[in-house]
Amino acid sequence: MGSGENTKLRVLCLHGYRQTGKTFREKTGAFRKLLKKHAEFECMTSPLKVPAVEAIDGDSDGGDGGSGWWFSQPNDYFKAQDESQCVKGYEESLRAIEEFVAEHGPFDGLLGFSQGGAMLGLLCGLQQQGKLPFSFRFAIFASAFRSRSLPHQALYSQKIKLPTLHVYGLQDKVIEAPMSEEFLEYFSDPQTLVHPGGHFLPATGAQKAAYVTFLERMATQNTSD
């Protein structure tokens, strides 16, 4: 491993609902290539299997039902807009993330897409409140939102001081922009990258500067610690 490799940030990625680590890695190929000099991205898969459905919805890649981070209804169903008492599978997913980090970490930062972004927000809250057995220094959110599940609300009681970058699309029909905008209020100094597209992590030259600026700032903090 050359000296250049050592300066790369390590980022753990949390996929969207009905995706897996493998399919999210495939979908983010252009994004990872855009930033390969700055960071290496590792993707994990949630332990929760989502039931397959006839109609493809959410972040689905087709085929089987994929995976999710928790269910907002007891019948293994999730909808971002659900305000419910249900967080079925959340503790299992949390343990899986903790075990993955223990085995493959440490990671400088985490990236979460859609429901994975909501899960990342909960991890930020746990870390802010001193309830996480590992630590990370920054978070990147894409098409993210606040969990509406009532047992999660205590994790939003303190403003998150962690450096964060929030990416969302004005034409997102799955997690509409107002949900991602409302999520910003739980962070003390959120950086934003708004794009004209839909429910995906954009990776064109128009976004590169914002990603690179954020990651270079995180790398500089890393060397000055």
Side-chain angles (χ1 to χ4, degrees), residues 28-46:
T28 55
F31 170 81
R32 291 183 293 104
K33 185 176 181 182
L34 195 70
L35 300 171
K36 64 182 180 182
K37 291 180 181 175
H38 304 275
E40 54 184 39
F41 299 89
E42 187 148 356
C43 302
M44 69 168 287
T45 299
S46 158

Side-chain angles (χ1 to χ4, degrees), residues 14-85:
L14 307 181
H15 59 76
Y17 189 66
R18 294 193 179 281
Q19 293 182 338
T20 64
K22 180 177 183 289
T23 58
F24 186 66
R25 184 172 179 81
E26 290 166 357
K27 279 183 176 289
T28 55
F31 170 81
R32 291 183 293 104
K33 185 176 181 182
L34 195 70
L35 300 171
K36 64 182 180 182
K37 291 180 181 175
H38 304 275
E40 54 184 39
F41 299 89
E42 187 148 356
C43 302
M44 69 168 287
T45 299
S46 158
L48 300 188
K49 296 300 177 195
V50 178
V53 288
E54 297 270 334
I56 299 305
D57 62 348
D59 307 314
S60 178
D61 300 301
D64 65 16
S67 297
W69 298 101
W70 78 91
F71 299 114
S72 58
Q73 298 295 338
N75 63 345
D76 294 359
Y77 173 84
F78 177 79
K79 188 176 181 183
Q81 293 80 8
D82 275 351
E83 293 188 11
S84 74
Q85 287 287 352

Side-chain angles (χ1 to χ4, degrees), residues 41 48 55 72 87 92 98 104 138 148 150 183 208 210:
F41 299 89
L48 300 188
S72 58
V87 289
E92 185 183 346
E98 292 171 358
H104 301 281
F138 65 87
R148 265 60 175 169
L150 300 179
F183 188 49
K208 184 175 182 179

Side-chain angles (χ1 to χ4, degrees), residues 8 25 31 39 47 58 61 81 84 86 90 93 101 104 135 146 150 154-155 158 179-180 202 207 211 214 222:
K8 278 190 189 179
R25 184 172 179 81
F31 170 81
D61 300 301
Q81 293 80 8
S84 74
C86 185
Y90 163 71
S93 290
V101 172
H104 301 281
S135 64
R146 173 180 63 84
L150 300 179
L155 294 175
Q158 297 179 25
M179 287 185 72
S180 291
Q207 292 90 31
Y211 293 138
F214 182 79
N222 194 23

Side-chain angles (χ1 to χ4, degrees), residues 162-184:
L162 201 70
T164 55
L165 176 64
H166 300 252
V167 185
Y168 60 94
L170 296 176
Q171 297 302 315
D172 196 328
K173 298 293 190 275
V174 180
I175 303 300
E176 295 186 349
M179 287 185 72
S180 291
E181 288 163 355
E182 180 253 358
F183 188 49
L184 298 174

